[in-house]
Amino acid sequence: MNRKLGSLLMAMVLLTGSLPADAQQSKRLNDNWEFLQQDLGGIWEAIRPVGKGNPESVPLWKTVTLPHCVNAIDGVDPDVNYYQGPAWYRTQLTISNPYTKGRTLLHFEGAGQKISVYVYDKLVKTHVGGYDEFTADITDAVEAFTKDPVFRKQFNGKIPVSIRTDNSRDLEMIPSSLSDFNIYGGIYRYLNLVYVPAVSFDKLFVKAEVDKDGKAGKLTITPRFYDPAFEGGEAGIELRITDPAGKLVQQKTVPMPVEGPEPVELALKKPRIWSTDNPQLYTIEAVLKTIHGDVKHTVRTGFRHTEFVEEGPFLLNGKRLLLRGTHRHEDHAGVGAAMTEDMMRKEMIMMKEMGVNFIRLGHYQQSRIILQLCDSLGILVWEEIPWCRGGLGGKIYRDQAKRMLVNMIEQHYNHPSVFIWGLGNENDWPGDFPAFNKDSIRAFMSELNDLSHNLDPDRKTAIRRCDFCKDIVDVYSPSIWAGWYRGIYTEYKSVSEMEMKKVRHFLHVEWGGDSHAGRHSESPDKALMAVKAGGAADERAGDASLYGGAARVSKDGDWSESYICNLIDWHLKEQETMPWLTGTAQWPFKDFSTPVRPDNPVPYMNQKGVVERDFTKKESYYVFQSYWTSTPMVHIYGHNWPVRWGDAGEEKMIKVYSNCDEAEAFLNGKSLGIKKRSSQDFPAAGLRWAAAFNRGNNTIRVIAKKGKTIVTDSISFQYQTEKWSKSAQVKLQKLSEANGIVTMQATLHDVNGVQCLDAANWIRFTLAGDGQLIDNQGTSSGSKYVQLYNGRAIIRINTNKGKSVLSATVPSVPSAFAEL
């Protein structure tokens, strides 16, 4: 890790406190929750005074911690549809508001998808939308309940809070259930208990402006107050502005009418500039002073200037910046959408270390923590509302879309990382309604576009894949999947240039392809021979299907890491020769769950990530790193390829991904020579060697140099020359055991015991006994039902300090068993 990135990461850890605005009187409500995955007959069933064991205590609740996702496990269970329906959470709170006549709030950072909040039996708040933040003011309900005898008698002075979540399918809400991602239920982001005085900040909008030369900066600070019980009186705001080094640069106290707050403008000469390499953040601290008490709101912002050149590149602070991007869904192995702050931080650091400077958050408003991380790491953001596929609904549908756009812009307005507001995705995709009316979709897209510009005139609007609306928004991305859903990957550059000339501002988001982690190929581009060239920008709704239609790699390819590395390698080397290109965003960074892909090698998973759902890096991660980073690195392709195959004496390709100037490869201790890196020498930028492997064990080592810096890498593997016939037997082998976790590998062999290294059969693991399969993780080594990768599959078992029997079953082959 270089020194600059290291300092960025340290600053990020210090700056990403993630409490809501009035932070000094706020705490996360993570513990002491009970959960029920079904509906109740009514709120009374959540608060009925019965003890454990009483027949009236059913249905049975279980203890959970927040954040919590209803679909943490079943979202990728190969044997069931994931649950879409009501669920309940309940807890008891000790309320102690320090402010006289203060307000007590529950601040939700996100919950899915329809929410009802109760204090005892009183409904205090409903919210529709699984991704925007909202607040439930429980003050009056709490006060009323404390006068009820059951406050002391049944609840011992605590406040019962019950929350109903509901992610049922509903055609009149967004996102569509046709979307290529799970529409999760639960309180899957942080929930905070907040105390504020009678008058407090609702929002503090901060606009940081600077000219492209960075000479003149201006801050415009506009407060909006929350005052449901305001009884008059004066207010004042004390402002403190500190620079990125913590130095106070301005301090000012201004009177402020509560009923009509006005903007405050402050000028700064030569402010320190926010950029993707050096994300300098200023801190605005505002203290609201009224007769009801003081309350503080802190905002971090940055000064940067963005510009899209018409039919040309993107400029940040007056200089061209090639946007090197990816995508993100809120989804992770074992937790679904309920990622913790530590998980989110790890994910964003992995992106930055891969060289990312841009991200499109697909396809909904994401956690405030992610935006804070992008601010502090230097990652530009395209964030969008979840108007995704299906067509266009009625008034309820449209009102929700507009409300979510307003909330997204207002809640994330202050983040310097955000430079594009997305209005929709794949809105040319019908299916939710009998009629599909392009004119109506255009009219509503125009309405959203105007709304976005009225709320935020300085940021661009954008959509992806809806050609009949591309003239409405500021920035447009067509659908170009060269070498995956359509065409071949060598068409990428010419197709992109053709599409660029059709719009004012072109930004290509979503490209790449699926790879089944651990699957490799000795001839990865073989499927391209059957694919018709042309039409790489003509993706259609049915192209993701694994059945029917014209030949395409997504259907007819091997889904190997080898092929995807070649596809990515080609795209990246071409992007370096496209001076007019604003940038791109590969789809996505991490594999994620989806209900519309039950037949993928890991069922219900979109496997286009460069890391698996549990953060395990695929080989393609290092291809990006070799093009996008400057800290010296080197990586030999094939770290998770234990057995290669071919004829005795046959020369095989060795590929090395590195950003160093040169590299020397060694096979079994013998030098294969030094190669110079050249980005246009495909594949692997010229760092490739042809050599014949020994039968059996082989070791490859590489030494790479960049200036005076030397980095190395090595791998060991087997080389199999024996040919295999039809698969006939499954074998189980223990690979390791540690801390009560056993790692087992199943391999498929022919009648002679030769491993079938091209086998992609389905395999199912089952377990009987004391242990438990670690499955439903959405990974190639964490799935009970999965396609083999090169004739093998891995599964892990928690033994629970007992005995179990593991079985591995491949259709038409006798099952294998192993005692654990």
Side-chain angles (χ1 to χ4, degrees):
M1 183 185 298
N2 65 18
R3 184 175 298 175
K4 181 179 287 187
L5 180 56
S7 63
L8 280 181
L9 300 183
M10 179 59 70
M12 178 206 62
V13 170
L14 297 175
L15 293 177
T16 53
S18 301
L19 296 176
D22 307 294
Q24 75 267 32
Q25 296 294 341
S26 174
K27 72 171 185 177
R28 285 176 173 165
L29 300 176
N30 293 351
D31 301 319
N32 304 312
W33 287 90
E34 290 184 304
F35 170 69
L36 180 69
Q37 187 173 307
Q38 67 176 70
D39 208 355
L40 294 173
I43 182 59
W44 177 246
E45 290 192 304
I47 55 176
R48 185 162 47 197
V50 294
K52 290 184 178 180
N54 188 306
E56 294 180 356
S57 67
V58 296
L60 300 179
W61 299 61
K62 67 177 183 179
T63 302
V64 298
T65 59
L66 300 187
H68 177 268
C69 180
V70 172
N71 311 105
I73 302 301
D74 71 2
V76 291
D77 189 325
D79 300 322
V80 300
N81 295 320
Y82 80 106
Y83 179 77
Q84 291 181 275
W88 285 82
Y89 298 81
R90 67 182 181 186
T91 191
Q92 296 177 23
L93 301 178
T94 299
I95 302 296
S96 181
N97 195 319
Y99 296 105
T100 303
K101 297 183 179 180
R103 309 301 297 181
T104 300
L105 314 175
L106 293 178
H107 170 252
F108 291 77
E109 296 183 18
Q113 296 284 316
K114 299 176 183 177
I115 312 300
S116 301
V117 183
Y118 295 84
V119 171
Y120 191 54
D121 62 353
K122 181 177 178 59
L123 177 64
V124 296
K125 180 73 175 182
T126 61
H127 181 81
V128 177
Y131 313 102
D132 46 343
E133 300 183 9
F134 66 97
T135 297
D137 189 330
I138 63 173
T139 310
D140 298 338
V142 167
E143 184 178 358
F145 179 67
T146 58
K147 300 173 183 177
D148 191 314
V150 300
F151 170 59
R152 299 287 181 191
K153 184 178 179 180
Q154 180 182 344
F155 293 98
N156 299 314
K158 293 188 177 183
I159 305 299
V161 172
S162 303
I163 300 167
R164 182 183 188 268
T165 70
D166 188 0
N167 66 328
S168 297
R169 300 171 78 92
D170 186 344
L171 293 176
E172 283 296 332
M173 71 177 294
I174 59 173
S176 166
S177 290
L178 294 176
S179 298
D180 193 4
F181 55 91
N182 284 336
I183 301 174
Y184 284 125
I187 307 174
Y188 44 64
R189 295 188 195 152
Y190 290 105
L191 171 58
N192 309 286
L193 175 64
V194 183
Y195 299 130
V196 296
V199 179
S200 63
F201 288 110
D202 175 49
K203 296 284 188 300
L204 189 69
F205 300 104
V206 176
K207 180 179 180 179
E209 300 174 88
V210 67
D211 63 302
K212 68 169 60 178
D213 297 323
K215 295 180 179 179
K218 184 174 78 170
L219 283 173
T220 304
I221 303 168
T222 306
R224 187 168 73 197
F225 299 133
Y226 181 65
D227 56 335
F230 182 56
E231 298 176 354
E234 297 181 352
I237 296 180
E238 182 180 285
L239 294 170
R240 289 171 51 88
I241 316 299
T242 54
D243 70 10
K247 178 182 177 182
L248 181 65
V249 293
Q250 285 209 35
Q251 185 170 0
K252 186 175 185 179
T253 300
V254 294
M256 188 66 61
V258 173
E259 297 179 347
E262 299 174 350
V264 178
E265 293 186 355
L266 302 172
L268 281 80
K269 293 183 178 179
K270 294 184 178 180
R272 295 172 68 171
I273 301 301
W274 186 97
S275 70
T276 55
D277 287 332
N278 194 15
Q280 299 287 319
L281 292 172
Y282 282 73
T283 301
I284 294 88
E285 184 180 283
V287 179
L288 174 63
K289 295 177 175 290
T290 71
I291 60 172
H292 305 284
D294 297 353
V295 65
K296 182 171 66 175
H297 189 126
T298 300
V299 172
R300 293 184 176 90
T301 192
F303 293 89
R304 86 288 185 278
H305 184 278
T306 63
E307 180 183 352
F308 283 85
V309 177
E310 189 160 338
E311 292 190 7
F314 171 75
L315 307 181
L316 179 63
N317 304 319
K319 298 179 181 179
R320 188 202 176 192
L321 177 70
L322 180 62
L323 296 171
R324 293 169 166 165
T326 189
H327 290 77
R328 177 182 189 270
H329 268 296
E330 287 192 336
D331 185 73
H332 192 73
V335 299
M339 293 183 68
T340 64
E341 185 168 2
D342 287 343
M343 290 176 180
M344 288 187 262
R345 181 181 294 112
K346 179 176 181 177
E347 183 173 7
M348 300 310 294
I349 289 174
M350 288 178 70
M351 289 185 196
K352 191 67 179 182
E353 290 178 340
M354 192 178 83
V356 166
N357 63 21
F358 162 55
I359 188 170
R360 175 175 172 239
L361 299 176
H363 295 292
Y364 39 80
Q365 178 179 331
Q366 296 199 6
S367 167
R368 57 170 46 205
I369 298 169
I370 294 298
L371 275 296
Q372 291 166 351
L373 290 165
C374 289
D375 290 343
S376 54
L377 282 170
I379 299 176
L380 286 161
V381 173
W382 164 340
E383 189 172 35
E384 64 193 35
I385 61 170
W387 184 22
C388 181
R389 296 187 179 178
L392 179 63
K395 185 178 186 305
I396 294 174
Y397 182 107
R398 300 177 196 206
D399 286 348
Q400 183 197 352
K402 289 186 285 187
R403 185 173 61 250
M404 294 187 81
L405 179 61
V406 171
N407 288 345
M408 179 179 70
I409 292 175
E410 288 194 348
Q411 291 166 11
H412 290 169
Y413 179 88
N414 296 335
H415 292 284
S417 55
V418 177
F419 75 129
I420 289 176
W421 298 122
L423 307 183
N425 176 66
E426 296 178 352
N427 302 108
D428 60 352
W429 194 305
D432 276 345
F433 308 99
F436 184 78
N437 190 307
K438 292 183 180 181
D439 290 337
S440 296
I441 292 174
R442 276 187 59 84
F444 189 61
M445 189 71 74
S446 295
E447 187 176 351
L448 292 178
N449 191 61
D450 291 342
L451 177 59
S452 180
H453 283 142
N454 287 335
L455 291 168
D456 188 353
D458 298 311
R459 289 185 172 102
K460 300 294 188 185
T461 59
I463 58 172
R464 176 193 166 270
R465 216 199 94 167
C466 187
D467 267 10
F468 60 82
C469 287
K470 66 185 178 185
D471 60 314
I472 296 173
V473 293
D474 302 316
V475 178
Y476 182 67
S477 173
S479 183
I480 304 173
W481 287 92
W484 191 246
Y485 290 129
R486 291 272 163 167
I488 58 179
Y489 59 71
T490 53
E491 300 174 282
Y492 163 69
K493 182 176 180 178
S494 60
V495 171
S496 295
E497 187 166 10
M498 177 183 68
E499 291 297 318
M500 176 271 295
K501 294 177 179 178
K502 297 178 181 179
V503 294
R504 289 171 296 169
H505 305 308
F506 168 92
L507 176 54
H508 180 209
V509 295
E510 295 197 29
W511 62 272
D514 291 88
S515 62
H516 190 32
R519 180 179 289 174
H520 304 275
S521 175
E522 297 287 359
S523 53
D525 289 357
K526 183 178 180 180
L528 290 176
M529 297 174 62
V531 176
K532 182 180 178 181
D538 296 330
E539 183 210 355
R540 299 164 195 170
D543 285 351
S545 172
L546 299 181
Y547 308 98
R552 53 191 183 274
V553 179
S554 60
K555 175 175 70 75
D556 303 298
D558 58 18
W559 285 46
S560 67
E561 294 197 55
S562 314
Y563 175 78
I564 288 303
C565 281
N566 282 352
L567 181 150
I568 290 171
D569 193 354
W570 183 271
H571 278 68
L572 295 180
K573 74 105 174 172
E574 292 285 71
Q575 288 169 17
E576 294 196 351
T577 66
M578 300 159 71
W580 47 266
L581 183 64
T582 53
T584 69
Q586 166 269 346
W587 177 266
F589 180 71
K590 184 171 64 172
D591 291 349
F592 64 91
S593 60
T594 167
V596 301
R597 298 175 186 264
D599 300 317
N600 279 7
V602 179
Y604 296 112
M605 286 297 300
N606 189 312
Q607 295 177 251
K608 295 183 180 70
V610 298
V611 301
E612 288 196 83
R613 198 174 181 234
D614 62 355
F615 293 143
T616 300
K617 295 174 183 175
K618 300 183 187 180
E619 297 294 288
S620 54
Y621 179 94
Y622 302 98
V623 185
F624 281 100
Q625 203 172 52
S626 71
Y627 279 91
W628 285 1
T629 65
S630 57
T631 303
M633 57 77 58
V634 65
H635 181 85
I636 303 168
Y637 179 89
H639 275 249
N640 60 349
W641 193 0
V643 184
R644 295 192 64 170
W645 67 90
D647 295 330
E650 179 184 358
E651 288 195 337
K652 294 290 184 178
M653 184 181 292
I654 298 168
K655 292 190 294 186
V656 171
Y657 298 113
S658 177
N659 57 11
C660 293
D661 301 324
E662 63 180 37
E664 184 175 9
F666 298 83
L667 174 61
N668 300 321
K670 181 180 179 181
S671 175
L672 300 177
I674 296 173
K675 296 289 183 76
K676 301 287 186 180
R677 185 183 190 276
S678 171
S679 66
Q680 298 307 297
D681 188 356
F682 176 84
L687 302 180
R688 60 184 184 275
W689 293 261
F693 300 144
N694 293 336
R695 183 175 181 273
N697 293 326
N698 289 268
T699 298
I700 298 172
R701 184 168 181 263
V702 65
I703 300 174
K705 297 180 181 179
K706 188 172 186 178
K708 296 181 179 180
T709 302
I710 296 175
V711 288
T712 65
D713 190 30
S714 63
I715 62 171
S716 296
F717 58 93
Q718 296 286 311
Y719 184 62
Q720 178 177 306
T721 58
E722 297 88 351
K723 302 297 185 289
W724 56 90
S725 57
K726 182 180 178 180
S727 55
Q729 54 183 314
V730 181
K731 295 182 180 181
L732 281 168
Q733 173 191 7
K734 181 194 287 188
L735 297 182
S736 64
E737 182 173 2
N739 302 317
I741 305 298
V742 174
T743 301
M744 298 291 294
Q745 177 175 262
T747 49
L748 189 61
H749 302 257
D750 68 8
V751 69
N752 297 315
V754 179
Q755 187 173 344
C756 304
L757 293 173
D758 64 350
N761 308 56
W762 287 97
I763 188 169
R764 181 178 288 274
F765 295 103
T766 57
L767 190 73
D770 301 313
Q772 183 178 9
L773 288 178
I774 301 176
D775 63 345
N776 294 334
Q777 300 296 297
T779 63
S780 64
S781 60
S783 300
K784 62 188 172 191
Y785 185 63
V786 66
Q787 277 187 15
L788 297 173
Y789 26 99
N790 299 129
R792 69 187 185 107
I794 288 173
I795 193 70
R796 294 179 177 86
I797 299 97
N798 186 336
T799 64
N800 293 324
K801 299 180 180 180
K803 295 182 178 180
S804 301
V805 176
L806 175 69
S807 69
T809 302
V810 173
S812 303
V813 176
S815 297
F817 300 89
E819 292 187 8
L820 305 177

